[in-house]
């Protein structure tokens, strides 16, 4: 996860210069002109955007983002093309080992405002991500231009990209100064991202680079170079390879049936709608009636010392949720939420020590995660917190709470989807052209080209006979809500064996219980008591009677019961369902690994619905449309329902 930002200088003529590589970022003859000649011209752009094969989207992969001038120049060229002669969505994927700090990016891009659209420069600076390792997806021009910035070493990061490149910008510091960016591993990774129509261009004509590209499947040729360089390289991949999303790719942008109108369902509709799909949502109850109807949910990552799958996935979900909330607000869909900060308190001194070492090991940006002492934590919360001596735990400055039901409403409005409430689905069945949903009487409720099961723990019931890949169980969760004042409330969200929110419209929430396979909907006094005990345990012993704590167990306490869909490994289930060969399973042989055409799932979020909803919806929408995925391949595999189809019966 640790990222070393760029340290910059400039040459006498003002050209940006990287001391660590002893090289300039671009030709002294002009970065924009170089980008147009070498990278756009070398890949026959923008002419190729008018080809029918690229009507839906076009994907560019770049090996060094630098100042972002190749991206900004490409975006500017795309903008100048008439809408009828360009791809509907432009994906630009770029790897950068040493990204710039925001203030450096703004300073170095300032001189280019006369050559490039100033609003695009401003938009890039405004969305520039926290410098944490991994993939960061930025969206521009109402989602029609998508930048996936991959922060990390190219030799490793390129192999984690799940995409098919239509064009490759092979860029970086000189092979003599930075040989890693031109290595065998990089060329092999670029080949794995390529297909028969993939083109490549670079300003380097180095003999070893040409040989590596040729050995990896690219036919390369010399072309007139830019400025003082007489020659450059152009290439085309010579092999045919299946699309990386071949299992799901090919569903036309048309109509999706979505079962469930909670966070998963509304987020999926919003992401598909952004790609031109119409969505019909069928909900057995009402919008956000389940756990998505709680007063507040917490958004914050869950770090680990080894930056494991869950840590990376929650970080990606946290950053994606922040971005989606900002995008919704910019479009007039303002969600009730607050980045008030989240404190995660240690249970004891041993855990506090581990949490401190985790911050040191991961070297996360302070805007994302910090270690805090007991004194600092108490000051941030505005309450005397009982966390022992020394390090108290973590503070996430940009974490906070989100109102889930309001989030669902705004996602639904942004999607323009058709919602049918009080419409329980008894069965789904394939049709000649897609799928249909039926009620208990066998009547068709709706039809679509594809169906997405976003109905939490009820998904396995509709997925039969493929439900073995969906080991989802319901976990009852009861929250406790009380007036504040007179009851106390922290200034930040506090987490430790539960959570406690600030006062929201005069009400504070704590909870929640977690009881697997308990379907009873009643509000229980004993669960209120457990929630309040968790709350009071966060305070120092001499302050647990602060305000009106402990609160009386009577009608002054509110709350809600919801059911979280949980999976054995506590990771989501997102993707196209496996087509299990039931006869093979019965005979104890391996199950078929093919997929069910048009049948998808987005569930298994557990208690992290807000954190995962928008990220998983983006993953699913990209899978359904064949677009580049927003997270690394190993994270995609970790949430794929196929992981349970592989398990022996």
């Amino acid at each position: 996860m640790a990222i070393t930002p760029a340290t910059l200088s400039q040459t006498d003529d003002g050209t940006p210069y990287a001391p660590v590589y002893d090289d300039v970022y671009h030709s002294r003859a002009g970065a924009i002109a170089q980008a147009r000649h070498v990278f756009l011209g070398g890949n026959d752009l923008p002419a190729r955007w008018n080809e029918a094969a690229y009507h839906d989207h076009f994907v560019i992969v770049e090996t060094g983002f630098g100042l972002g001038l190749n991206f900004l120049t490409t975006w500017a060229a795309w903008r100048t093309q008439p809408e009828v002669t360009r791809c509907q969505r432009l994906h630009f994927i770029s790897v950068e080992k040493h990204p710039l700090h925001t203030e450096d990016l703004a300073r170095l891009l300032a001189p280019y405002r006369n050559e490039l659209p100033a609003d695009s420069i401003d938009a890039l600076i405004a969305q520039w991500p926290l410098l944490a390792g991994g993939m960061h997806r930025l969206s521009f021009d109402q989602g029609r231009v998508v930048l996936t910035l991959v922060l990390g070493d190219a030799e490793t990061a390129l192999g984690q990209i799940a995409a098919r490149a239509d064009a490759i910008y092979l860029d970086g510091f000189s092979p003599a100064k930075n040989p890693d960016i031109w290595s065998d591993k990089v060329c092999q990774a670029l080949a794995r991202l390529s297909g028969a129509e993939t083109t490549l261009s670079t300003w380097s004509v180095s003999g070893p680079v040409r040989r590596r590209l040729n050995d990896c499947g690219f036919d390369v040729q010399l072309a007139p170079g830019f400025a003082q360089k007489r020659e450059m390289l152009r290439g085309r991949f010579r092999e045919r390879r299946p699309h990386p999303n071949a299992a799901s790719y090919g569903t036309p942008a048309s109509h999706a049936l979505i079962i469930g109108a909670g966070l998963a369902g509304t987020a999926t509709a919003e992401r598909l709608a952004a790609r031109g799909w119409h969505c019909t949502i069928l909900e057995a109850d009402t919008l956000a009636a389940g756990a998505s109807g709680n007063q507040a949910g917490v958004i914050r990552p869950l770090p680990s010392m080894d930056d494991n799958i869950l840590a990376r996935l929650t970080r990606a979900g946290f950053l994606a949720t922040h971005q989606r909330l900002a995008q919704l607000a910019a479009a007039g869909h303002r969600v009730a939420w607050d980045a008030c900060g989240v404190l995660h308190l240690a249970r004891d001194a041993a855990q506090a020590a581990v949490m401190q070492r985790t911050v040191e090991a991961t070297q996360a940006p302070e805007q994302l995660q910090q270690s805090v002492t007991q004194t600092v934590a108490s000051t941030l919360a505005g309450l005397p917190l009982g966390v022992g001596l020394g390090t108290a735990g973590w503070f996430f400055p940009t974490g906070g709470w989100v109102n889930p039901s309001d989030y669902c409403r705004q996602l639904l409005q942004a999607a323009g989807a058709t919602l049918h409430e009080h419409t329980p689905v008894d069965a789904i069945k394939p049709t000649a052209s897609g799928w249909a949903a039926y009620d208990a009487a066998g009547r068709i409720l709706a039809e679509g080209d594809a169906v997405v099961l976003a109905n939490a723990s009820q998904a396995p019931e509709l997925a039969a006979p493929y439900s073995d890949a969906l080991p989802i169980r319901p976990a009852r969760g009861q929250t406790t809500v009380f007036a504040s004042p007179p009851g106390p409330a922290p200034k930040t969200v506090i987490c430790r064996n539960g959570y406690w929110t600030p006062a929201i419209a005069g009400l504070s929430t704590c909870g929640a219980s977690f009881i697997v396979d308990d379907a009873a909907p009643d509000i229980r006094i004993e669960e209120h008591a457990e929630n309040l005990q968790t709350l009071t345990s966060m305070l120092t012993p001499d302050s647990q009677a602060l305000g009106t704590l402990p609160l009386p167990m009577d009608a002054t306490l509110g709350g809600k019961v919801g059911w979280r869909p949980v999976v054995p490994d506590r990771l989501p289930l997102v993707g196209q369902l496996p087509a299990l060969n039931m006869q093979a399973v019965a005979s104890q042989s391996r199950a078929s690994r093919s997929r069910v055409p048009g049948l998808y799932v987005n569930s298994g979020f557990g208690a992290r619905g807000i954190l995962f909803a928008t990220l998983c919806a983006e993953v699913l929408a990209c899978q359904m449309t064949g677009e580049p995925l927003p997270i690394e391949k190993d994270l995609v595999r970790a949430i794929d329902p196929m992981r349970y189809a592989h398990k022996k019966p």
Side-chain angles (χ1 to χ4, degrees), residues 11 96 152-153 166 212 233 250 279 370 475 488 499 563 602 636:
T11 62
E96 180 54 55
D153 181 78
D166 299 308
R212 289 178 191 129
L233 281 185
C279 298
Q370 303 171 10
Y499 68 92
W563 288 268
N602 191 12
V636 175

Side-chain angles (χ1 to χ4, degrees), residues 59-61 163-168 190 193-195 197-199:
V59 180
I60 296 170
V61 173
R164 166 53 46 80
D166 299 308
I168 295 172
L190 293 175
L193 291 168
S194 301
E197 301 303 317
T198 302
T199 60

